[in-house]
Amino acid sequence: MNEGIFVRTVRLGIRSLLLHKLRSALTTLGVLFGVSSVVAMLAIGEGASAEAQEQIRRLGSQNVILRSVKPPEDAVSNQDTRVISYGLTRDDLRRVRESVPGVRRVVPLRELPEEVRNGDRAVRPRVLATTPDYLDSTGRVMDEGRWISEVDEQRTTNVCVLGYEVARRLFPFSSPLGERVKIGADYFNVVGTLLPRVRLGDDPADAGVDSTGEVFISLTTGQKWFGEMLVKQRAGSREMEEVQLHEMIVEVERDVDVPFVAAACRTMLAREHDELDYEVVVPLELLMRAEETKRIFNIVLGSIAGISLLVGGIGIMNVMLATVTERTREIGIRRALGAKRRHIVIQFLVECVVLSVGGGLLGIALGIAIPLGVERWADMRTVVTPEAPLLAFAISAGIGVIFGLYPAWRAAHMDPVEALRHE
Amino acid sequence: MSRPVAQLQDIRRVYRMGSNEVVALDDFSFSFGRGEYWAIMGSSGSGKSTLLNILGCIDRATSGSYKVDGEETSELDDDDLSELRSRRIGFIFQSYNLIQQLNVLENIQVPLFYQDDPPPDGHERALALAERVGLGGRLDHRPRELSGGQQQRVAIARALINDPALILADEATGNLDSKTAEEILALFDELHGEGKSILLVTHEPDVGERAENVLRLRDGRIDSVDEGQRAGA
């Protein structure tokens, strides 16, 4: 019986609303836009943050990355020699390996400013000299062939692995496997190629680097052929730099130790280096910062959405107050026929909820359609989490109740005699 | 006189209008017997509408006692009064007062909808009443699609759905042409014949004459009482 009354009340509410189709439709628009903006903005925000988090995770949340940073010119002590020496050293590498607890392995990287040629095709990628551990530590994936081995490292063999982009540029028509490329003045056998890695976008640590424009050789081979000195060509002048290691990827055993390892590295480097010619990048910290950014974003978004829903709710309240006045006589009739105050309250509340939930459902549909469009035309990733539409639905129903209460209360507390006399 | 269906004792109804007090009913005492058919007449401002509102429990007396069907109303709260209306009172209005969103069958059932414990056979009762007032073929029509006379028939069926102790008709024929009015009055005669208690407020002498008894009001007091008017005629 109760269910019957409920269904009847809802049906009556819908019928009453249909007496004024345009007015009801316009009223739902307020909620519709409020709800759709909530759903759409959540989806876009969620997509952006998911993307950022994925990029950071790709750096390895278990890693701590140490990088050499060229100090400002005037801070360099021996100006006149034209040889600038800075950055991480092999001693640093040894110290991290030996004295920082909780470290699984440390992968050193050296970047060589060399040209890579195949006949008359030439590119200037990042030529990276590293150890065999690099592949595992970064989670890069081989396309063809094999990675640099321990044996290559021990024997300082002239083998290299090409990044996807370099392989494509130097060998557009055939597989580079088994071919030879010229790095600087020496020839190297290509033993493997890597799959592309999605660009790291906004991550400051990797900004502007086309990460597929890479060629890898073993660290020992690099040292053998290219030495410690880096010669950089600048407009009309040469600059000599001495950098032993450009980067160290410190892989930590357990996630929870990452902050301690990072702190230990910082302390150690601060002790050994006179000036700040290095930086410590902790992807986990970036991740936490990204979470914080997301939180702030959600607060801003929540406020905007809240305001638009508030406006929608006020719209409903406004229209319901007008409706109550207009239907004063109907209220009087119902009261005379025995309707209790709660019956009148429920009747008008149901109408408000039908309006707001109707707007809410349409808003959810629009709110899901907008991210699809954004993904299609703006090439941005979006994620519609299942909670977003549910939340939006609950909010819209809540708005109906909250903003309907006062009009419904007013309707229920009219004097039946006065209401019946109303024209 | 038979056992009273509506008993008013020292009823006073005072309206406040700013600093003025308007006495609509002044120490009004009267009893309407069960199964009687009364016309309540009087000029405008005589207090007949106030009396009807109090009889119908949509207004409260400022002081005094009013018993419907033996039940004292002055102590009841709003919910109890509403429940009493939905069970014991049948209202018929001058301008029909049907609910526009509902069809004939639904309009007839409205009072049952508001009862705390509605009877299970409401639908059947409504069908039978629609048939009785001659609207069996228009059950799903909306009020707008009906003539005035038809609408008033729906209103009468609605007033009968709860098998009320008291039927209150407020100028029930006031908006109808004389032929249709006659049909409605014939229906009242029929109901009276069945033993219903009917109180009809009117200012038309023709209509008043149809009732068994006439109560005339003036300035919130009883002016005259004609009992057994028709019997005497």
Side-chain angles (χ1 to χ4, degrees):
Chain A
M1 197 63 209
N2 272 335
E3 199 181 45
I5 287 173
F6 178 74
V7 170
R8 194 150 35 149
T9 310
V10 171
R11 206 166 49 202
L12 175 72
I14 293 171
R15 269 200 229 165
S16 304
L17 293 171
L18 287 179
L19 286 180
H20 301 283
K21 292 191 187 66
L22 181 64
R23 183 205 285 175
S24 301
L26 290 176
T27 310
T28 56
L29 279 186
V31 179
L32 193 159
F33 287 126
V35 165
S36 63
S37 65
V38 172
V39 176
M41 287 172 82
L42 274 178
I44 292 167
E46 201 63 45
S49 104
E51 186 130 337
Q53 291 186 16
E54 197 170 305
Q55 286 167 0
I56 292 164
R57 278 207 192 87
R58 221 177 269 136
L59 278 180
S61 58
Q62 283 200 332
N63 293 347
V64 173
I65 294 165
L66 314 181
R67 282 203 182 97
S68 297
V69 177
K70 189 174 173 182
E73 292 287 343
D74 54 339
V76 182
S77 46
N78 42 357
Q79 291 264 359
D80 26 316
T81 61
R82 303 306 302 150
V83 176
I84 305 162
S85 176
Y86 67 91
L88 302 166
T89 60
R90 276 186 293 279
D91 285 341
D92 293 329
L93 176 63
R94 187 176 45 75
R95 273 190 286 266
V96 174
R97 275 185 176 151
E98 287 169 6
S99 60
V100 177
V103 172
R104 181 184 291 157
R105 57 190 165 203
V106 184
V107 181
L109 275 174
R110 222 172 112 68
E111 193 173 335
L112 307 165
E114 302 294 340
E115 196 182 52
V116 181
R117 302 181 69 95
N118 170 33
D120 50 5
R121 292 176 202 278
V123 290
R124 280 197 80 88
R126 295 170 76 198
V127 177
L128 296 169
T130 186
T131 57
D133 288 339
Y134 176 86
L135 196 68
D136 289 336
S137 274
T138 56
R140 299 289 300 270
V141 183
M142 297 299 296
D143 185 11
E144 290 182 288
R146 65 168 179 87
W147 180 247
I148 295 159
S149 68
E150 303 277 354
V151 181
D152 294 328
E153 199 184 18
Q154 280 160 23
R155 299 194 183 157
T156 64
T157 47
N158 280 16
V159 296
C160 69
V161 172
L162 304 185
Y164 184 81
E165 188 65 22
V166 174
R168 226 180 45 124
R169 297 258 283 279
L170 293 181
F171 300 92
F173 308 116
S174 58
S175 166
L177 283 192
E179 301 288 339
R180 293 205 310 168
V181 294
K182 194 176 177 189
I183 300 178
D186 303 287
Y187 286 95
F188 284 75
N189 282 316
V190 179
V191 294
T193 58
L194 284 172
L195 278 178
R197 162 164 82 169
V198 180
R199 229 188 124 200
L200 293 189
D202 296 335
D203 174 14
D206 238 1
V209 176
D210 177 1
S211 56
T212 57
E214 292 166 331
V215 172
F216 295 90
I217 60 175
S218 83
L219 191 67
T220 49
T221 314
Q223 219 170 317
K224 177 174 130 196
W225 294 109
F226 303 104
E228 307 286 15
M229 215 58 84
L230 305 170
V231 182
K232 281 195 174 163
Q233 305 270 359
R234 287 240 180 117
S237 74
R238 286 178 156 200
E239 202 175 73
M240 308 284 273
E241 288 184 5
E242 191 186 349
V243 180
Q244 293 188 2
L245 297 172
H246 284 90
E247 191 172 312
M248 280 156 52
I249 302 169
V250 182
E251 200 182 334
V252 182
E253 288 279 0
R254 297 180 306 156
D255 293 12
V256 290
D257 291 336
V258 168
F260 305 115
V261 171
C265 291
R266 283 193 178 110
T267 311
M268 190 212 79
L269 289 172
R271 199 174 55 228
E272 300 297 330
H273 292 247
D274 295 335
E275 51 195 4
L276 203 61
D277 56 356
Y278 60 89
E279 65 173 354
V280 179
V281 178
V282 187
L284 194 70
E285 285 174 1
L286 292 177
L287 197 67
M288 281 153 64
R289 225 178 297 157
E291 298 280 356
E292 177 65 12
T293 310
K294 184 190 166 191
R295 207 176 63 83
I296 293 167
F297 183 79
N298 281 345
I299 290 172
V300 171
L301 176 143
S303 319
I304 294 170
I307 289 167
S308 66
L309 283 169
L310 186 72
V311 171
I314 291 170
I316 287 188
M317 182 151 148
N318 198 4
V319 165
M320 285 317 290
L321 282 173
T323 301
V324 164
T325 306
E326 193 184 81
R327 285 162 62 187
T328 299
R329 196 184 178 86
E330 180 194 329
I331 294 162
I333 298 168
R334 289 182 182 275
R335 292 282 281 141
L337 297 179
K340 297 170 186 74
R341 286 194 173 128
R342 64 167 184 272
H343 290 125
I344 303 294
V345 167
I346 288 168
Q347 182 186 343
F348 283 95
L349 268 190
V350 162
E351 281 184 37
C352 290
V353 172
V354 166
L355 275 181
S356 64
V357 164
L361 289 177
L362 292 173
I364 288 169
L366 183 64
I368 290 173
I370 289 172
L372 291 179
V374 165
E375 205 155 304
R376 175 100 165 62
W377 285 293
D379 200 26
M380 261 172 77
R381 191 163 138 193
T382 59
V383 178
V384 178
T385 56
E387 298 87 45
L390 283 177
L391 179 76
F393 183 83
I395 289 175
S396 61
I399 279 178
V401 172
I402 289 165
F403 288 92
L405 271 176
Y406 176 63
W409 183 88
R410 253 192 33 177
H413 284 77
M414 284 178 176
D415 175 17
V417 175
E418 289 293 326
L420 271 172
R421 216 177 284 157
H422 193 268
E423 282 309 316
Chain B
M1 201 207 294
S2 54
R3 192 161 64 86
V5 67
Q7 193 173 19
L8 301 133
Q9 189 67 48
D10 302 328
I11 292 288
R12 247 178 98 81
R13 180 66 172 100
V14 182
Y15 295 104
R16 280 190 179 281
M17 297 201 166
S19 56
N20 294 341
E21 287 195 343
V22 179
V23 181
L25 286 177
D26 197 3
D27 287 329
F28 189 97
S29 299
F30 198 78
S31 288
F32 297 96
R34 190 175 302 277
E36 291 177 357
Y37 183 5
W38 283 85
I40 300 170
M41 302 190 66
S43 57
S44 105
S46 61
K48 60 184 194 301
S49 293
T50 303
L51 177 61
L52 190 82
N53 290 338
I54 288 172
L55 286 169
C57 297
I58 54 176
D59 195 10
R60 282 170 183 277
T62 311
S63 65
S65 137
Y66 169 45
K67 286 180 185 163
V68 187
D69 216 5
E71 185 174 353
E72 176 59 52
T73 62
S74 53
E75 301 293 317
L76 296 180
D77 66 12
D78 192 86
D79 269 10
D80 292 334
L81 279 180
S82 302
E83 181 70 14
L84 191 150
R85 290 197 292 273
S86 71
R87 289 190 180 277
R88 310 240 179 116
I89 310 285
F91 267 109
I92 300 165
F93 303 93
Q94 177 173 7
S95 46
Y96 331 128
N97 282 348
L98 300 180
I99 293 166
Q100 299 301 322
Q101 303 94 294
L102 303 179
N103 65 25
V104 167
L105 197 60
E106 290 163 336
N107 260 296
I108 294 173
Q109 293 181 71
V110 167
L112 299 185
F113 186 26
Y114 293 127
Q115 289 182 4
D116 284 339
D117 192 12
D121 62 340
H123 186 76
E124 289 72 25
R125 273 201 225 174
L127 279 176
L129 283 168
E131 201 65 50
R132 160 146 199 209
V133 298
L135 289 166
R138 293 170 190 271
L139 295 176
D140 53 0
H141 282 53
R142 296 282 172 96
R144 234 181 299 236
E145 299 159 350
L146 301 174
S147 71
Q150 287 170 330
Q151 290 194 49
Q152 195 61 299
R153 286 160 185 279
V154 177
I156 291 170
R158 180 176 70 184
L160 294 172
I161 188 79
N162 51 1
D163 193 19
L166 195 55
I167 296 172
L168 300 172
D170 186 7
E171 304 279 8
T173 57
N175 284 9
L176 301 172
D177 61 68
S178 55
K179 183 171 165 290
T180 318
E182 175 54 39
E183 288 169 16
I184 296 298
L185 288 173
L187 201 50
F188 282 168
D189 288 343
E190 210 180 303
L191 294 174
H192 175 49
E194 290 167 19
K196 300 277 183 215
S197 314
I198 304 173
L199 305 185
L200 177 71
V201 169
T202 183
H203 64 271
E204 294 172 65
D206 298 356
V207 176
E209 276 168 21
R210 295 290 296 260
E212 186 183 31
N213 317 295
V214 178
L215 174 67
R216 286 197 177 78
L217 300 185
R218 179 186 295 194
D219 299 332
R221 291 170 183 275
I222 295 171
D223 187 33
S224 69
V225 180
D226 294 343
E227 282 190 75
Q229 186 189 58
R230 289 176 94 189

